[in-house]
Amino acid sequence: MDPSGQFDNYQQEAAAAIAAADSADALEQVRVEFLGAKKGRLRDLQSLLGKADKEQRPVLGKQFNEVKTAVTALYDARRAELSAPRASTSGLDITLPGAALPLGNRHPLTQTVEEFKDIMGRFGFTVASGPEIEDEHHNFEALNIPDDHPARDPLDNFYLAAAESAHGGPLLLRSQTSTVQIRVMEQTQPPIRIISLGRVYRPDTMDRTHSCMFHQMEGLMVGESVTMAELKTVLRLFAQTYLGHDVHVRFRPSFFPFTEPSVEVDMSWRDGWLEIGGAGMVDPNVLTAVGYDPEKYSGFAFGMGVERFCMRRHNIPDIREFYTNDVQFLRQF
Ligand code: PHE
């Protein structure tokens, strides 16, 4: 038996096996087989040294060490090669560690709606909802808006062609959330304290402050002695809670068919006033239409533009930002 021949065989086979290992796992198996410290091919070679003649031992020992060093170097080089980042032909390095994906956040209008519910909830108002496709009864008639009222002009509303309500009349996209006042009162008895938040639709030309779809918060409180003083207090507290205590709220006489008296509500902004919605005491005709006794019950109602509040708080100059869904805009909230 020629130990030095075995050293050569070992080195050649080890070199071939190391070169053929195409993964870290495969290379590890090669390492155990050829370089394992406890058993394996290297141990076998070492035991040959013990059996060799005394004079031969120093020569063989030196050869053994050379072979071991050479195979270990081949192994180290292959291991470094296998764990190095590999650039793919596309230039995309798929071995780089992944970057954390930025998490999304809720749309600023959704956040505003949630906060409105929270604030009004603290004043005892619960949330009601109604459909966006409405009949003329809930959008107009029960709200004391007669047939010949300009608000019913087909050019000022999105009527749905070829659609018919259960009552036989046409359907339209609701132009105001006041429809929910009627739906709630038709189904419940006073005392009532609700808000309703959602989309409304009007064929307005889009510009910085107008959109053909926007959001309103409707409020309705009905009871045995609800007064206008409470309406003013609720709206003032609401505006100051959402925008800060330095916000002034002003009420101007106005007209809505479904409130009497009616007011337009403004809040202070920069050096002037910004209209935020309409309000008033529920008209006795409306109470009667839903079967309430106007001698016994009174109430107030209001309708606020949700976008306006959000724009005012965050200094957003253009209402269209809310609907174009540019992530650079959305990520700021
Ligand atoms: N619905 C009215 C509008 O959209 C606002 C309003 C609501 C006015 C409730 C009075 C009472 O302009």
Side-chain angles (χ1 to χ4, degrees):
M1 191 172 47
D2 166 23
S4 65
Q6 295 205 31
F7 289 156
D8 289 343
N9 283 347
Y10 165 80
Q11 185 167 358
Q12 278 169 22
E13 285 169 35
I18 287 170
D22 56 1
S23 70
D25 283 349
L27 186 64
E28 174 61 10
Q29 277 178 28
V30 174
R31 187 193 67 76
V32 170
E33 184 184 344
F34 287 93
L35 290 168
K38 293 206 178 90
K39 52 181 183 151
R41 303 273 300 264
L42 197 63
R43 281 303 280 179
D44 298 343
L45 290 183
Q46 207 172 3
S47 64
L48 291 180
L49 291 179
K51 290 174 201 150
D53 296 340
K54 234 178 172 176
E55 314 81 72
Q56 265 196 308
R57 267 189 217 160
V59 185
L60 290 177
K62 190 168 167 257
Q63 228 179 344
F64 173 83
N65 283 333
E66 280 167 5
V67 167
K68 181 183 171 186
T69 307
V71 172
T72 305
L74 286 176
Y75 164 79
D76 287 344
R78 184 71 182 138
R79 195 180 56 166
E81 212 170 86
L82 286 178
S83 61
R86 269 174 293 173
S88 74
T89 47
S90 69
L92 174 74
D93 183 356
I94 57 165
T95 65
L96 283 177
L101 277 179
L103 282 182
N105 51 278
R106 287 182 305 162
H107 191 281
L109 284 179
T110 309
Q111 294 181 33
T112 309
V113 164
E114 290 307 313
E115 194 168 339
F116 280 17
K117 289 178 185 169
D118 184 54
I119 295 169
M120 294 303 293
R122 284 183 255 154
F123 301 156
F125 286 76
T126 56
V127 178
S129 63
E132 289 179 24
I133 294 177
E134 265 295 5
D135 52 46
E136 292 188 296
H137 170 72
H138 292 97
N139 204 84
F140 300 124
E141 279 146 25
L143 286 163
N144 204 30
I145 305 176
D147 237 345
D148 54 0
H149 193 280
R152 295 179 69 154
D153 190 327
L155 292 178
D156 286 333
N157 294 283
F158 286 112
Y159 278 92
L160 302 183
E164 244 189 30
S165 77
H167 310 291
L171 289 170
L172 71 158
L173 297 177
R174 69 179 176 191
S175 60
Q176 49 183 349
T177 45
S178 300
T179 52
V180 186
Q181 290 183 38
I182 304 303
R183 291 191 172 271
V184 168
M185 289 191 284
E186 279 174 343
Q187 276 158 31
T188 31
Q189 289 298 308
I192 286 174
R193 215 189 273 209
I194 59 101
I195 51 165
S196 187
L197 291 124
R199 299 189 187 103
V200 298
Y201 302 84
R202 295 175 191 181
D204 281 336
T205 307
M206 302 274 283
D207 63 23
R208 277 157 39 100
T209 52
H210 292 89
S211 164
C212 51
M213 184 282 298
F214 62 98
H215 295 70
Q216 285 188 326
M217 174 170 73
E218 192 80 12
L220 174 69
M221 178 165 167
V222 182
E224 287 197 18
S225 54
V226 175
T227 69
M228 192 129 183
E230 285 158 303
L231 166 66
K232 293 172 78 174
T233 302
V234 165
L235 289 183
R236 204 164 258 139
L237 281 175
F238 169 77
Q240 291 178 345
T241 308
Y242 180 72
L243 291 170
H245 285 277
D246 52 342
V247 168
H248 294 287
V249 175
R250 150 179 113 164
F251 300 86
R252 279 179 292 120
S254 185
F255 174 82
F256 296 101
F258 38 94
T259 47
E260 182 61 34
S262 302
V263 288
E264 212 90 51
V265 188
D266 302 334
M267 62 183 164
S268 55
W269 195 13
R270 303 205 167 122
D271 288 332
W273 297 93
L274 181 70
E275 189 188 317
I276 49 174
M281 302 305 293
V282 181
D283 194 289
N285 285 349
V286 174
L287 296 175
T288 306
V290 295
Y292 289 1
D293 178 359
E295 297 297 325
K296 187 170 174 202
Y297 296 116
S298 60
F300 68 70
F302 61 81
M304 304 284 138
V306 175
E307 280 84 346
R308 286 270 166 107
F309 274 92
C310 187
M311 288 168 80
R312 156 91 212 254
R313 186 200 254 190
H314 299 290
N315 262 311
I316 299 167
D318 194 324
I319 196 170
R320 290 168 293 197
E321 295 278 18
F322 290 123
Y323 318 119
T324 43
N325 284 329
D326 176 347
V327 286
Q328 298 212 44
F329 169 76
L330 296 176
R331 278 208 189 112
Q332 299 175 63
F333 302 91

